[in-house]
Amino acid sequence: FVHELSASSPSVNDQVIDILSVDVEGFDWDVLSAADNTLERVKYLEFEYHHVGHWPRYNLSYATNDVLYNRFGLVCYYA
C-alpha cells in the first residue's frame, strides 16, 4: 500500500514503515534528503544511486554513512 511521504493522516505518520522503496530515476537523494520524519520510522530502505540529480554533489559514502546511518541508524549494503 502506497502513501505520499508527506501524508497528513496522523494514523499514517505514526506507523512504522517496514520497507520503503524509492525509485525516482536518479533523484532518490532529493526524496531522501526531504524525508527526515519518514526515515525515522523506516526499518528497510531501498534506493538507487545514479550520477544525475543531486547525486553528483553528494557521494554515496556521505549519503550512507553520514546521513542514513548516523542520523537514522540505517545500515547500508551496496554492490
Side-chain angles (χ1 to χ4, degrees):
F1 121 64
V2 178
H3 282 283
E4 291 181 25
L5 292 178
S6 61
S8 59
S9 168
S11 62
V12 171
N13 287 334
D14 294 337
Q15 293 178 354
V16 171
I17 300 168
D18 293 320
I19 299 171
L20 176 62
S21 180
V22 179
D23 185 359
V24 289
E25 299 307 318
F27 294 91
D28 301 56
W29 181 247
D30 300 69
V31 171
L32 296 174
S33 64
D36 286 0
N37 294 334
T38 300
L39 291 175
E40 293 172 350
R41 301 179 288 122
V42 172
K43 289 183 179 180
Y44 177 85
L45 171 66
E46 177 182 68
F47 64 93
E48 295 179 357
Y49 177 79
H50 295 276
H51 290 284
V52 298
H54 283 115
W55 279 121
R57 288 191 231 160
Y58 306 101
N59 65 41
L60 187 57
S61 177
Y62 166 78
T64 57
N65 297 328
D66 296 344
V67 177
L68 297 176
Y69 179 73
N70 290 336
R71 288 178 61 195
F72 303 106
L74 294 167
V75 178
C76 296
Y77 304 92
Y78 47 91

